[in-house]
Amino acid sequence: MVAGLMLVGISACSNDSDGLLSSESVEVSRSSELVTKTIDLGTTPGQLQTKLEAEMSDVSTLQKLILTGEFNEADVNYWLNNLKHLVEFDLSGATPKHTENVYYSSDYIGSAQFADNEIGYSLFRGMTNLKTIVFSNTATKISDYVCYDCTSLSSVTIPNGITEIGYYAFYNTSLESVSIPSSVTFLNSSVFTNNLKLKNVELLANVIGIPSSMFLNCQKLETITLSSSITEVGDWAFENCYALKDYTPFSNITKINYGAFHASGLESVDLSNVTDFSNAGWAFRLCESLKSVILPSNLTETLPSYMFWGCTSLNSINFPVGMEKIGDGVLGACGFTELTIPSTVKKIGYDSFRGNASLTKVTLSEGLEEIDSYGFLDTSITEISIPSTVTKIGYGAFQNSKLITLTIPATVREIGGSLIDNCSDLRALIWNSEEVL
């Protein structure tokens, strides 16, 4: 009987313990709820301070503000300078209303105003505790620097109806995913620059191109969904996007601009539908994971300078039949081991294959007329025969290479200095069918 009572006692104690834990969990849950206030400004903007301080003796404890009605520059001035501790800000039911001769400012901006229905310049700039913002449902514009340096911002709701997003609007936030609605018809540059946690983007904006530096230094960006209207990628748009391994929307892209994917994580690119490479210099420079490139089969223009320079894993590329020149530095410091240059290529540009340390074999076709300076500098080629159509070889074209045999035809009338400097393995130099070394 005593043993039975002891067991009952232990069981009861266990139940009490569970009860205490449950109670403590409720208290923890309650304490984690944000201190929230809803303030309705009605049709009298400029009253946020008066109304909020009438309800709270210490506004520094406020964590979530739900604002409805019309707000103006005076209200913005108040929250920028007195509510920096806010964690959540819901303006879905609020309407920006401009008031003449009323301004807002903070440590980060000069005096500013905004237009009706505009999420104005630097409206939340420097509010480093903000984690969530829901923008006004009536707003049509998100202006420059709106959430600049909101370093804790991890959630933002951009409503349908927004038609424009400004320069550096979400610079240096903690957003992990974002959706830009189809109502947006204008995007300024650098909107998401330096968003180090951004992983997923749904860019449904009805725009022609991705603006310059749009996702610059978004190092964790993995996936991006684009509107079919987007046909152009701007300067530095995806620079340093190391996690971006695959960029499937290439099928719609017809123009790529300077440094667009510089130092990104792309592993392969199909540029078959690109028609404009005129400003594509450095576009894929230092993409060290890039292994293969498909160029348009009808490409005749020269690829811009240093377009694929430093793509150390790149060992597969198609040279289109009509290409007449391999541009300066285009394929320098890449990972090729063998190359065959087609007969349509008349010039190999400055630095074209410089630094291809693994390159051991190059086949040059009849039709080639010029090899520019440093064309094959610092490669591992051991033997090369210059076609009879070549008339000029530039300075240091084969310097620091592993050449054992070099054959130069009589057609070559101009040879730059230091052609074979530091080619310590060279055993035979044949010029005009005569061995001169």
Side-chain angles (χ1 to χ4, degrees), residues 340-355:
T340 298
I341 309 301
S343 59
T344 55
V345 173
K346 295 179 179 176
K347 181 177 180 179
I348 292 174
Y350 179 91
D351 275 354
S352 281
F353 300 101
R354 177 177 183 169

Side-chain angles (χ1 to χ4, degrees), residues 5 16-17 38 47 85 99 123 139 153 174 180 201 233 240 246 251 264 284 296 302 329 333 340 360 411:
L5 287 173
D16 287 343
S17 176
T38 300
Q47 302 299 309
H85 46 274
T99 301
L123 219 62
L153 186 64
S174 290
I180 299 175
V201 173
V233 183
N240 293 342
D246 179 36
S251 58
S264 71
F284 300 93
T302 301
T340 298
T360 59
T411 54

Side-chain angles (χ1 to χ4, degrees), residues 142 196 277 282 347:
I142 296 174
L196 301 181
F277 291 98
W282 282 40
K347 181 177 180 179

Side-chain angles (χ1 to χ4, degrees), residues 408-421:
I408 302 175
T411 54
V412 177
R413 298 302 182 188
E414 184 178 346
I415 297 177
S418 300
L419 178 69
I420 52 175
D421 276 9

Side-chain angles (χ1 to χ4, degrees), residues 77-141:
N77 196 64
Y78 179 68
W79 79 54
L80 279 175
N81 293 286
N82 297 277
L83 302 180
K84 294 180 180 179
H85 46 274
L86 283 180
V87 176
E88 294 187 18
F89 205 155
D90 185 345
L91 293 99
S92 57
T95 300
K97 188 72 174 178
H98 169 64
T99 301
E100 292 290 338
N101 301 317
V102 179
Y103 300 86
Y104 60 93
S105 63
S106 73
D107 296 339
Y108 304 98
I109 59 176
S111 294
Q113 293 180 298
F114 54 80
D116 288 352
N117 297 317
E118 176 186 357
I119 306 298
Y121 173 82
S122 294
L123 219 62
F124 307 97
R125 183 172 179 173
M127 296 182 71
T128 56
N129 290 303
L130 267 179
K131 293 183 178 179
T132 301
I133 298 176
V134 183
F135 289 119
S136 168
N137 287 329
T138 62
T140 58
K141 179 180 179 180

